[in-house]
Amino acid sequence: MKKLSKLTALLLALTMALSLAACSNNPGAADTQPAETKASQGEPAGDKTYTIGICQLAPHPALDAATQGFKDALVEKLGEGNVKFNEGNASGDSSLCPTIVDGFVSEKVDLILANATAPLQAAASATSTIPVLGTSVTDYATALEISDWSGTVGTNVSGTSDLAPLDQQAAMIQEIFPDAQTVGLLYCSGEPNSAYQCDVIEGHLKGMGYEVKRFAFNDTNDVASVTQAACEGSDVIYIPTDNTAADNTEAIANVVLPAKVPVVAGEEGLCKGCGVVTLTISYYDIGHIAGEMAYDILVNGADVSTMPVKSAPEVTKKYNAANCQALGITAPEGYEAIAAE
């Protein structure tokens, strides 16, 4: 019996060893690598699906491009099956942003993308724990009322800026309209980042010898009338990256083109609708950069509070061929024509 027991034990041990070896060589065997290790190596942790809330202020080409760039970056890095996007669009009504963001907070999403200033302000107020990334935001210090700006917000907020250098925009006005005397600044009084841009560029323009006048509309209802006043009091009009103006380029064009007053725009979408020239960034690029930042936060454990706000990697001088022709303006060399639809 002892011999038989020893033989049986030996056979059992051999069987277990062969079974373990087979499992270790089986490509379909379970992955026993800890999720924490995977995350540190920059891989999605197991089968986790990340839920991202996206609050966009309005449907227009620049903001749409930023959202698409953000989504593309995360899908590229995580895989389509590992990320879910819950999207809310305020349709230009900033008062709807808190409701959209509160829904994301209740749902306990993994991260919030705030596309434009009003969504950023709503998200920053709604949560101090869920990471928030902004995009299409001009100046975070102005939007979040930070007096000692150092490049980082220092809370659960970071993101990307859509600001093209304002000194270069002023230089572009001087380059194309050296004989103009008065530059009108046309913007929405309810958008703090628009007011910030006007403050900065006004200093540059006055330093160049221009007289500067401000024309601020309150909302969509008075865009046309305020634009008419700007045409009557200006040789050239400058419009910053203003969301309300971007939603009303047709109404602006219907005033400025018959009045023969050129518009220099803060971004391509505005210029395509009502402008003649622009110094523009790629909104897709800043959205994509925000998506890369989101991946670092979600998978690599990056601390959003220490992440500097990032800007577009390059700016481009562009012109609207149709509007330039209508106003008898020849764009200088080095300007790229905005593609027609």
Side-chain angles (χ1 to χ4, degrees):
M1 290 295 293
K2 288 183 179 179
K3 288 184 179 180
L4 182 59
S5 298
K6 288 181 179 180
L7 179 60
T8 300
L10 180 62
L11 288 172
L12 286 171
L14 181 60
T15 300
M16 291 178 66
L18 290 171
S19 177
L20 287 170
C23 286
S24 66
N25 291 322
N26 182 4
D31 183 0
T32 58
Q33 186 179 20
E36 292 81 1
T37 303
K38 282 185 163 188
S40 68
Q41 292 176 349
E43 301 176 14
D47 296 325
K48 177 176 175 59
T49 298
Y50 297 96
T51 301
I52 312 297
I54 300 177
C55 181
Q56 182 173 316
L57 178 60
H60 66 68
L63 301 187
D64 292 345
T67 291
Q68 192 61 54
F70 176 83
K71 292 165 64 176
D72 287 352
L74 278 177
V75 170
E76 289 164 10
K77 287 182 169 290
L78 291 172
E80 193 167 355
N82 284 7
V83 60
K84 174 186 175 184
F85 300 107
N86 290 351
E87 301 184 51
N89 197 304
S91 299
D93 185 351
S94 59
S95 67
L96 296 179
C97 294
T99 302
I100 295 171
V101 171
D102 286 344
F104 298 153
V105 174
S106 297
E107 189 184 352
K108 297 180 180 179
V109 297
D110 296 297
L111 184 141
I112 295 172
L113 175 73
N115 192 347
T117 299
L120 180 73
Q121 292 169 328
S125 297
T127 178
S128 61
T129 55
I130 298 174
V132 173
L133 291 176
T135 192
S136 313
V137 177
T138 302
D139 181 64
Y140 284 72
T142 301
L144 301 177
E145 298 182 347
I146 301 171
S147 58
D148 54 344
W149 179 247
S150 62
T152 59
V153 176
T155 64
N156 62 316
V157 177
S158 188
T160 57
S161 169
D162 64 355
L163 181 63
L166 290 162
D167 59 339
Q168 293 182 37
Q169 294 186 56
M172 183 171 60
I173 293 173
Q174 187 180 47
E175 176 186 25
I176 301 177
F177 306 106
D179 297 328
Q181 296 182 348
T182 304
V183 178
L185 307 181
L186 181 64
Y187 65 102
C188 178
S189 59
E191 296 193 31
N193 275 308
S194 297
Y196 164 78
Q197 292 172 79
C198 289
D199 289 343
V200 175
I201 200 167
E202 181 174 353
H204 293 303
L205 291 169
K206 284 184 173 179
M208 296 171 176
Y210 289 106
E211 180 184 359
V212 179
K213 295 181 179 180
R214 294 197 182 208
F215 301 89
F217 45 82
N218 296 315
D219 53 36
T220 299
N221 295 322
D222 60 347
V223 166
S225 60
V226 174
T227 301
Q228 183 63 51
C231 288
E232 293 170 358
S234 313
D235 299 315
V236 181
I237 292 173
Y238 171 77
I239 304 178
T241 54
D242 184 286
N243 291 299
T244 306
D247 279 342
N248 292 274
T249 56
E250 183 177 356
I252 294 171
N254 287 340
V255 177
V256 298
L257 293 179
K260 301 294 183 181
V261 178
V263 168
V264 176
E267 55 92 9
E268 182 174 345
L270 273 166
C271 189
K272 190 172 186 177
C274 62
V276 291
V277 292
T278 182
L279 182 69
T280 189
I281 64 161
S282 165
Y283 277 78
Y284 181 89
D285 285 352
I286 61 170
H288 200 279
I289 292 169
E292 294 169 352
M293 294 171 72
Y295 177 83
D296 282 341
I297 293 166
L298 296 170
V299 177
N300 296 332
D303 182 358
V304 63
S305 69
T306 65
M307 298 177 82
V309 170
K310 298 184 178 182
S311 299
E314 59 184 25
V315 293
T316 306
K317 290 181 176 181
K318 292 191 174 185
Y319 71 97
N320 181 321
N323 286 354
C324 283
Q325 183 177 8
L327 299 182
I329 296 170
T330 301
E333 289 187 12
Y335 282 69
E336 177 183 324
I338 295 174
E341 293 183 352

